[in-house]
């Protein structure tokens, strides 16, 4: 089969590799129907040192079950499934507490001998706890939105959920990428009536307005902070959803959060040290939350909204690329020529 590997910064290749096989009784083999390039894939695309063996890429996928291990009881060959971007047993103590990305038996695609999702097929460990079956016949028109339940929409939802967004909260979303736009849509779904989107790419912020943003702030840094403070009457935002992961975005976040407010981060942070003292969080009694989204906790509740057309988060996909051309998909996203690229096998 064909699969995607990264050999260093900017070096993405599609190679022929052996088909995946069942290695543990809890495994399933899934034929990939749709995958995509994630904004977080661009971090190694910029910085990955040269590798002798390529790094398997991709963690968002829809597919059809081809084979199951002897211990798998909830899946059968032919099931159409959504896979979260991390695998988990969904029964351990952390899974039961809704933090499936910390599963004691879990892990990540593209690591520890597990292949990536930007491939024709993938071995899914802990298949019973990981894969969610989509009932009935699946309309091809719904595939983009179903794919967002693997990561991007539910990562945006996680940001809003952890920030405790509701009808009383003014929300500011930092970042007009696919996760930021998903956070706008999720905030509207949770009842927010005032949503400020910080972004400067007009095509993206227009989609943000369609998803529910009431204001757009194109300025960055101190100018952006000042504009949000002006829009909020000098009070700041109850909830700030940070969907970028770089230090300037975090600095904007603590600059605009109001006293007693919450910063919820889901952009994968490209730093370990960050201000938390009197001038950033402490002095405002501001809370900091967020993290890798346990999307498995949210898929089943969100699935009817997609299947019944109440939301269309798949609008974040604006390009479709064949697996053989996936290097071009990375280039398009890196050059901001595409918002999010969907990949067909």
């Amino acid at each position: 089969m064909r699969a995607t590997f990264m050999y260093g910064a900017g070096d993405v290749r599609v190679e022929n590799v052996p088909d995946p096989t069942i290695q543990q009784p809890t495994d399933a083999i899934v034929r990939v129907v749709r995958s995509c390039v994630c904004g977080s894939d661009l971090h190694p695309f910029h910085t990955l040192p040269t590798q002798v063996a390529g790094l398997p890429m991709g963690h968002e996928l829809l597919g059809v079950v081809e084979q199951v291990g002897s211990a798998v009881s909830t899946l059968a060959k032919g099931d159409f499934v959504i896979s979260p971007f991390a695998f988990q047993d969904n029964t351990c103590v952390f899974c039961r507490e809704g933090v499936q990305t910390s599963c004691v038996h879990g892990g990540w695609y593209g690591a520890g001998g597990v292949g990536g999702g930007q491939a024709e097929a993938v071995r899914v460990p802990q298949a019973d706890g990981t894969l969610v079956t989509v009932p009935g016949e699946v309309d091809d028109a719904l595939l983009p939105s179903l794919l967002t339940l693997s990561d991007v929409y539910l990562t945006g939802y996680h940001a809003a959920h952890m920030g405790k967004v509701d009808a009383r909260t003014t929300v500011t979303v930092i970042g007009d990428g696919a996760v930021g736009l998903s956070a706008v849509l999720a905030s509207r779904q949770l009842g927010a009536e005032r949503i400020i989107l910080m972004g400067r790419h007009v095509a993206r912020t227009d989609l943000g307005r369609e998803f529910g943003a009431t204001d757009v702030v194109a300025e960055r840094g101190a100018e952006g902070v000042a504009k949000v403070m002006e829009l909020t009457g000098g009070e700041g935002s109850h909830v700030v959803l940070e969907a970028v992961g770089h230090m300037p975005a975090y600095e904007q976040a603590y600059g605009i959060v109001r006293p007693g407010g919450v910063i919820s981060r889901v952009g994968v942070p490209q730093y370990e040290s960050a201000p938390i003292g009197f001038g950033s969080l402490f002095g405002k009694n501001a809370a900091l939350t967020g993290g890798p989204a346990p999307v498995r906790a949210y898929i089943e509740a969100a699935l009817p909204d997609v299947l019944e057309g109440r939301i269309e988060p798949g609008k974040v996909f604006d390009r479709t690329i064949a697996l053989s051309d996936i290097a071009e998909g990375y280039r398009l996203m890196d050059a901001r020529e595409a918002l999010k690229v969907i990949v067909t096998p």
Side-chain angles (χ1 to χ4, degrees), residues 58-59 61 83-87 107-111 114-117 122-124 130:
H59 51 261
L61 63 108
S83 176
F85 64 83
F87 58 85
W108 313 93
Y109 288 113
V114 180
V122 66
R123 177 175 70 91
V124 181
T130 299

Side-chain angles (χ1 to χ4, degrees), residues 55-309:
L55 182 69
M57 296 302 297
H59 51 261
E60 302 161 272
L61 63 108
L62 302 174
V64 176
V65 175
E66 293 287 300
Q67 186 180 359
V68 297
S70 60
V72 175
S73 61
T74 63
L75 301 163
K77 182 177 180 179
D79 285 348
F80 190 93
V81 292
I82 303 168
S83 176
F85 64 83
F87 58 85
Q88 58 272 296
D89 62 23
N90 212 33
T91 59
C92 83
V93 59
F94 299 120
C95 289
R96 294 196 305 271
E97 293 174 359
V99 195
Q100 282 91 334
T101 45
S102 295
C103 177
V104 297
H105 300 119
W108 313 93
Y109 288 113
V114 180
Q118 293 166 5
E120 291 183 308
V122 66
R123 177 175 70 91
V124 181
Q126 302 295 338
D128 273 334
T130 299
L131 299 173
V132 176
T133 302
V134 180
E137 294 293 323
V138 179
D139 184 347
D140 282 356
L142 292 178
L143 293 182
S145 288
L146 291 171
L147 183 56
T148 69
L149 303 187
S150 180
D151 184 350
V152 62
Y153 173 65
L154 292 180
T155 290
Y157 178 87
H158 180 62
H161 172 74
M162 294 298 288
K164 297 182 171 56
V165 169
D166 61 22
R168 72 167 188 85
T169 51
T170 294
V171 179
T172 298
V173 176
I174 299 175
D176 60 6
V179 171
L181 297 178
S182 296
V184 170
L185 179 59
S187 295
R188 176 61 75 188
Q189 289 298 109
L190 290 173
E193 297 178 358
R194 182 83 183 276
I195 304 170
I196 302 167
L197 173 60
M198 300 190 78
R200 59 178 183 170
H201 302 89
V202 175
R204 299 180 180 195
T205 56
D206 283 350
L207 180 57
R209 290 186 186 278
E210 181 181 340
F211 278 176
T214 55
D215 304 272
V216 170
V217 172
E219 294 85 353
R220 291 181 169 184
E223 290 183 359
V225 170
K227 182 65 175 179
V228 172
M229 295 304 290
E230 177 187 340
L231 288 171
T232 58
E235 296 176 354
S237 188
H238 295 96
V239 184
V240 182
L241 309 181
E242 196 273 276
V244 178
H246 291 292
M247 182 58 69
Y250 177 68
E251 291 170 341
Q252 285 184 184
Y254 68 70
I256 62 179
V257 68
R258 70 188 276 138
V262 180
I263 298 170
S264 181
R265 299 181 307 160
V266 291
V268 179
Q270 301 304 293
Y271 52 84
E272 284 295 334
S273 299
I276 58 171
F278 204 100
S280 52
L281 301 185
F282 186 84
K284 287 184 172 181
N285 281 282
L288 181 64
T289 188
V295 299
R296 182 63 182 83
Y298 308 133
I299 290 177
E300 284 154 324
L303 185 55
D305 286 337
V306 169
L307 293 177
E308 296 168 21

